[in-house]
Amino acid sequence: MTATPLLEIRNVETYYGKIQALKGVTMEVKAGEIVTLIGANGAGKSTLMMTICGDPRAAAGQIIFDGQDITKLQTHEITRMRIAQSPEGRRIFPRMTVYENLIMGATTSDPAYFDEDLSRAFELFPRLKERRDQRGGTLSGGEQQMLAIARALMARPRLLLLDEPSLGLAPLVVKQIFEAIKELNDKDGLTVFLVEQNAYHALKLADRGYVMVNGNITMSGTGKELLASEEVRAAYLEGGAH
Amino acid sequence: MEYFLQQLINGITLGSIYGLIAIGYTMVYGIIGMINFAHGDIFMVSSFIALIVITALGLTVSTGLGLTILALILVLVTAMVIASVFGWTTERMAYRPLRGSFRLAPLITAIGISIVLQNYIQITQGARVKPLQPLIEGGYTLMTRVDANGEFAVRLSNMQILIIAITVILMIVFSLMIAKTSLGRAQRACEQDRKMASLLGINVDRTISMTFVMGAALAAVAGLMFLLYYGVIDFFIGFVAGVKAFTAAVLGGIGSLPGAMLGGLVIGLIETFWSAYFSIEYKDVAAFSMLAIVLIFLPQGLLGKPEVEKV
Ligand SMILES: Nc1ncnc2c1ncn2[C@@H]1O[C@H](COP(=O)(O)OP(=O)(O)O)[C@@H](O)[C@H]1O
Ligand SMILES: [Mg+2]
């Protein structure tokens, strides 16, 4: 683990029209870390994920990736810096096959790596291999989530953004997905920024975590510290732990 | 029977031209969810460009076959390039600046571009029809019937063969391009989820521009075919053919490529058969009635995607 932050977010504010969704967010993700962001529904977690990718654009503050200011870049340019996102709602292309969705994921990466990356994706999620030629829109929720993560990985990201990968999934599938994230982090040193409502699992997995309330970061600490914190337990864990 | 066969050939030829124009409507609608109201006029401008280049090259029917083909390729490329510039400009001027605006705004600017193009051609080329002597003559007599009324021959002209063949080839090339190339995949991705496409590194603006350009290039092919087949053009053909091709695109299922081609064929056939068997004055009424009937029973058009699939 190196000390330089791979992603630095400084006082970022984001608006939807007149509504302010982020009210000056500051946080960082270091290379090789798994960092999680937890918070209630509507806190602004997905907005932060999307603001990192430039859509919506930050109205104030700075987003710095690997020492470069990316605040004003266009979304497709930010992706080219090798930031990949598995967004809220999965956003699988419904009328493309699993295979085509994965090709789309590889848009910005060198074609020379395609076969290697594809077999790695199928190794990670064998289910997708079975469904290779099935249309994305006909997959189950869990399969779509796997596809969304696999598609993001096809970009060979340096930073992987995952927005609620466990939403609406059966506990067994959640476990499988969290194991996959852990494995990618351990083996390949992949840096992961994870948004979760499933706070217990996320904090157990993560090196560090942040808590967001109403567009502000209210707490931060290691996964263990946050898991032990009374406030976090009361607000996000009671009844939520499986 | 012979008469029917002849109308069938004529209808397919006309339908091919409508189909090629319809693809431009359907592709643009697929990707931005809006009709490009200047598309018919880009078709019209292309046929004028074709006429100007043909005249400048001094092509006539007595030019040798090889030279004619070479020259027509040059004409086609010129028309396609200039039409592409018009298509690109339309998107940049009428659509992109208004993308976040209310839905009708870009339609109004596109109609504005349509009016500008029509008036520009009317002023520079005159309001009267422009004729072109036939360049490609000859053909085949498929069958002849002799009866009390005299002789009736079913003819398939070389021009008709050319139009149908080029249309079939372009359809195949285009379908493959949409299905297999990265540009085609990017277009489908933008069609299905534009935001996700940009998250994956697709330059959405450029993909939309390319879609306008591709539609305009096909309209230019149709413009040259129309000129060669009918031999007369005027500044208003874009409106008439545009409305028909738009009808074809909706009839086939707006957003669907095979639908546009099928819709074009259906409209071409209805128009031809109605003129042949009923009254030529009501051929447009027949085509539009068909549209109304289909839309009542199949709101998505003949090959349109059912709405449930849209996520
Ligand atoms: N596209 C949008 N337009 C307007 N308001 C939005 C939009 N997306 C989110 N919001 C608002 O911004 C706030 C933060 O939403 P979001 O980032 O989705 O929260 P979270 O992901 O933490 O549940 C909410 O109040 C939500 O209603
Ligand atoms: Mg969210």
Side-chain angles (χ1 to χ4, degrees), chain B residues 26-45:
Chain B
T26 225
M27 283 186 22
V28 164
Y29 184 85
I31 203 158
I32 59 170
M34 278 182 283
I35 301 299
N36 175 7
F37 275 110
H39 187 59
D41 297 291
I42 291 175
F43 156 81
M44 178 273 293
V45 169

Side-chain angles (χ1 to χ4, degrees), chain A residues 27-60:
Chain A
M27 55 159 293
E28 62 178 40
V29 180
K30 297 194 192 85
E33 272 188 322
I34 299 180
V35 172
T36 189
L37 176 66
I38 59 174
N41 221 340
K45 306 181 298 294
S46 300
T47 303
L48 179 60
M49 288 296 221
M50 290 306 292
T51 303
I52 294 170
C53 293
D55 182 12
R57 199 166 286 290

Side-chain angles (χ1 to χ4, degrees), chain B:
Chain B
M1 175 61 201
E2 286 79 4
Y3 188 62
F4 175 86
L5 202 64
Q6 182 68 65
Q7 299 312 323
L8 189 65
I9 294 171
N10 297 348
I12 291 175
T13 312
L14 181 61
S16 300
I17 295 176
Y18 287 157
L20 284 180
I21 307 173
I23 290 176
Y25 282 110
T26 225
M27 283 186 22
V28 164
Y29 184 85
I31 203 158
I32 59 170
M34 278 182 283
I35 301 299
N36 175 7
F37 275 110
H39 187 59
D41 297 291
I42 291 175
F43 156 81
M44 178 273 293
V45 169
S46 323
S47 68
F48 271 92
I49 295 163
L51 179 63
I52 291 166
V53 181
I54 287 172
T55 314
L57 291 173
L59 270 187
T60 65
V61 71
S62 51
T63 315
L65 181 66
L67 212 56
T68 303
I69 290 175
L70 270 183
L72 284 182
I73 291 175
L74 181 68
V75 172
L76 183 62
V77 170
T78 314
M80 284 172 89
V81 169
I82 298 178
S84 299
V85 173
F86 276 102
W88 186 85
T89 311
T90 303
E91 196 270 331
R92 285 307 281 258
M93 286 176 60
Y95 287 87
R96 193 179 300 182
L98 294 169
R99 210 179 282 158
S101 180
F102 64 103
R103 253 180 98 73
L104 277 179
L107 301 188
I108 295 167
T109 49
I111 290 171
I113 290 194
S114 159
I115 294 171
V116 168
L117 290 179
Q118 281 184 29
N119 283 277
Y120 177 71
I121 295 294
Q122 192 180 356
I123 290 165
T124 54
Q125 297 294 317
R128 263 180 258 159
V129 296
K130 289 247 172 189
L132 174 73
Q133 295 308 312
L135 292 180
I136 297 172
E137 286 189 319
Y140 302 88
T141 303
L142 299 182
M143 54 171 82
T144 331
R145 182 188 62 186
V146 186
D147 60 16
N149 300 327
E151 201 179 279
F152 183 83
V154 181
R155 301 266 306 153
L156 175 63
S157 71
N158 286 339
M159 196 56 227
Q160 287 174 322
I161 295 175
L162 192 70
I163 289 176
I164 295 168
I166 290 182
T167 304
V168 169
I169 292 169
L170 281 176
M171 266 317 283
I172 295 172
V173 169
F174 249 67
S175 306
L176 286 177
M177 210 167 117
I178 301 291
K180 304 280 182 209
T181 67
S182 56
L183 174 62
R185 263 192 307 272
Q187 283 173 316
R188 283 183 291 140
C190 290
E191 212 173 301
Q192 292 173 33
D193 188 341
R194 200 188 287 172
K195 194 163 181 164
M196 190 65 227
S198 71
L199 276 181
L200 294 174
I202 300 289
N203 186 337
V204 173
D205 282 342
R206 202 176 61 201
T207 308
I208 292 176
S209 286
M210 280 310 294
T211 306
F212 274 80
V213 162
M214 282 161 72
L218 283 185
V221 180
L224 173 62
M225 286 176 172
F226 186 94
L227 171 70
L228 294 177
Y229 189 56
Y230 289 103
V232 284
I233 55 174
D234 63 41
F235 71 94
F236 205 58
I237 58 166
F239 179 78
V240 180
V243 170
K244 298 281 177 55
F246 169 56
T247 306
V250 175
L251 179 67
I254 189 104
S256 155
L257 211 62
M261 212 55 231
L262 179 67
L265 275 181
V266 171
I267 296 290
L269 287 169
I270 290 177
E271 204 180 307
T272 311
F273 277 104
W274 191 276
S275 317
Y277 288 100
F278 303 104
S279 80
I280 196 158
E281 287 83 21
Y282 285 105
K283 65 180 171 122
D284 297 347
V285 176
F288 296 140
S289 307
M290 178 74 185
L291 173 71
I293 292 166
V294 169
L295 289 186
I296 289 168
F297 293 105
L298 271 177
Q300 296 296 315
L302 296 172
L303 301 181
K305 306 158 188 121
E307 198 61 42
V308 273
E309 261 202 344
K310 287 201 180 130
V311 172

Side-chain angles (χ1 to χ4, degrees), chain A residues 41-42 45-47 88 163-164 195 197:
Chain A
N41 221 340
K45 306 181 298 294
S46 300
T47 303
E88 177 166 50
D163 196 342
E164 302 211 32
V195 161
Q197 277 200 51

Side-chain angles (χ1 to χ4, degrees), chain A residues 12 51 54 57-58 60-64 68-73 78:
Chain A
V12 162
T51 303
R57 199 166 286 290
Q62 270 185 317
I63 301 169
I64 292 154
Q68 192 180 331
D69 189 338
I70 60 168
T71 323
K72 298 226 153 48
L73 293 186
I78 292 171

Side-chain angles (χ1 to χ4, degrees), chain A residues 79-80 91 95 100 135, chain B residues 188 192-193 199 201 309:
Chain A
T79 306
R80 277 174 201 283
R91 304 189 91 134
R95 293 185 297 281
E100 281 182 311
R135 284 165 149 223
Chain B
R188 283 183 291 140
Q192 292 173 33
D193 188 341
L199 276 181
E309 261 202 344

